[in-house]
């Protein structure tokens, strides 16, 4: 079973990587949702940041606030990571300024709710490009540098939906299944090279995900909803502890564990009840 997240307010991100002080973290999807929480938590520990997302204005506002509050250096990189080749462009931009990334928080991604055949194909492929391809490319280009240095940390954001097929979230859940399997495999591959890879699996979280995905929120789903801060804390804590993966929240762990005891047909029916029509 994946590790259950401790939702205490104190968090200890690794302060040193093989004796080298942590200097800078790259957070993708940093303009909203969990990205804001990761930025606040890391800045509070005096980790310098690179914020990357499509919308520049909210990132600049966040950067100004964190600079004043924590005195850290923050670089804002407006970029559409769903565009082909975006990961390489971002890496090149940071290399030109000699900005070394010690922590990669692969947070950018979004979901689509609805019947697969009634969703425009270009929207689905755009989501796959961001949730899978961009995440993979970012892990590659920054992971290579980390492995060469013998130190680094990569946090991938999967989902509780990664553990079963989910009607009306068919493609989204499938992308998160990829992220979880990919991250756990990389955890073992890169550990001998001094690089920690951790996959965070949030359940339903108050991040604006539902509005962006066009998804209803059922009464049952509201009962399982978590605030974003403890979710982000659980991910960074698991990363600092060198864990392969973590599910945020006790009830979400129960849901994931129950999949081991039920047939997949029942899993699909359960998710339809929880997520609504």
């Amino acid at each position: 079973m994946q590790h259950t997240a401790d939702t205490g307010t104190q968090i200890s991100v690794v302060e040193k990587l093989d004796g080298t002080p942590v200097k800078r973290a790259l957070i993708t999807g940093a303009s909203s949702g969990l990205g804001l929480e990761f930025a606040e938590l890391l800045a509070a520990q005096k980790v310098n940041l690179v914020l990357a997302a499509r919308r520049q204005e909210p990132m600049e506002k966040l950067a100004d606030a964190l600079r004043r509050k924590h005195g850290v250096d923050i670089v804002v990189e407006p970029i559409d990571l769903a565009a082909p080749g975006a990961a390489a462009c971002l890496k090149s931009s940071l290399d030109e300024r000699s900005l070394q990334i010690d922590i990669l928080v692969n947070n950018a991604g979004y979901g689509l709710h609805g019947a697969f055949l009634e969703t425009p194909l270009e929207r689905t492929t755009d989501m796959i490009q961001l949730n899978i391809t961009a995440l993979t490319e970012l892990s590659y280009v920054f992971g290579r540098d980390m492995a060469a240095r013998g130190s680094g940390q990569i946090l991938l954001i999967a989902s509780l939906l990664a553990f079963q097929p989910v009607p009306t979230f068919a493609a989204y859940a499938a992308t998160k299944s990829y992220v979880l399997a990919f991250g756990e495999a990389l955890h073992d591959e890169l550990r001998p090279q001094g690089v920690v890879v951790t996959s965070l699996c949030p359940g339903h979280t108050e991040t604006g995900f539902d509005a962006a995905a066009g998804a209803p929120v059922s009464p049952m789903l509201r009962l399982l909803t978590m605030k974003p801060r403890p979710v982000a804390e659980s991910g960074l804590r698991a990363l600092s502890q060198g864990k392969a993966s973590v599910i945020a929240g006790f009830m979400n762990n129960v849901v994931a564990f129950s999949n081991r005891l039920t047939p997949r047909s029942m899993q699909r029916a359960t998710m339809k009840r929880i997520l609504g029509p």
Side-chain angles (χ1 to χ4, degrees):
M1 183 176 182
Q2 278 73 15
H3 299 278
T4 304
D6 173 6
T7 57
T9 56
Q10 295 301 312
I11 177 172
S12 177
V13 176
V14 172
E15 294 181 356
K16 291 189 175 182
L17 302 172
D18 293 344
T20 303
V22 171
K23 295 181 179 179
R24 192 174 297 273
L26 166 61
I27 304 171
T28 67
S31 61
S32 61
L34 286 175
L36 303 179
E37 304 297 335
F38 288 125
E40 172 66 35
L41 290 167
L42 289 168
Q45 295 190 48
K46 304 301 181 182
V47 176
N48 298 322
L49 303 175
V50 174
L51 306 180
R54 286 185 302 173
R55 296 181 297 157
Q56 182 171 2
E57 185 176 350
M59 288 194 296
E60 294 286 6
K61 184 178 179 180
L62 174 63
D64 288 343
L66 295 181
R67 290 184 190 110
R68 291 194 299 268
K69 186 175 181 180
H70 301 293
V72 293
D73 179 69
I74 302 178
V75 173
V76 171
E77 283 280 344
I79 186 170
D80 181 5
L81 289 170
C89 289
L90 177 58
K91 179 66 163 58
S92 178
S93 175
L94 299 182
D95 284 347
E96 288 175 0
R97 286 173 282 179
S98 299
L99 295 177
Q100 174 180 300
I101 300 302
D102 302 291
I103 303 171
L104 169 61
V105 180
N106 242 326
N107 172 68
Y110 68 93
L112 291 175
H113 173 267
F116 172 67
L117 294 181
E118 295 176 7
T119 302
L121 182 59
E122 59 270 21
R123 295 190 66 202
T124 299
T125 55
D126 183 79
M127 179 187 67
I128 293 170
Q129 174 72 25
L130 180 59
N131 292 9
I132 292 181
T133 305
L135 174 140
T136 303
E137 291 175 346
L138 288 165
S139 299
Y140 181 83
V141 296
F142 291 103
R144 288 187 70 184
D145 281 359
M146 293 177 185
R149 294 194 303 267
S151 65
Q153 296 171 298
I154 300 175
L155 182 64
L156 306 181
I157 312 305
S159 170
L160 185 62
L161 301 190
F163 292 93
Q164 65 280 304
V166 185
T168 71
F169 275 106
Y172 173 73
T175 68
K176 293 305 182 177
S177 293
Y178 171 88
V179 173
L180 178 58
F182 175 68
E184 290 187 331
L186 283 191
H187 175 83
D188 285 357
E189 282 193 30
L190 299 185
R191 181 170 51 186
Q193 300 176 64
V195 181
V196 175
V197 181
T198 300
S199 298
L200 167 63
C201 298
H204 190 254
T205 309
E206 292 182 4
T207 60
F209 172 89
D210 304 301
V217 181
S218 69
M220 188 179 301
L221 191 57
R222 288 193 182 93
L223 295 176
L224 296 172
T225 301
M226 291 182 64
K227 297 289 187 181
R229 177 56 60 92
V231 173
E233 288 176 338
S234 69
L236 292 178
R237 184 180 299 106
L239 183 66
S240 74
Q241 295 170 347
K243 296 178 180 178
S245 60
V246 63
I247 300 169
F250 174 76
M251 287 306 300
N252 290 328
N253 272 267
V254 172
V255 171
F257 182 75
S258 69
N259 285 339
R260 301 186 180 193
L261 309 175
T262 58
R264 291 176 71 81
S265 59
M266 185 177 295
Q267 295 171 24
R268 296 193 301 271
T270 299
M271 293 309 297
K272 287 177 71 173
R273 287 197 301 271
I274 291 175
L275 296 174

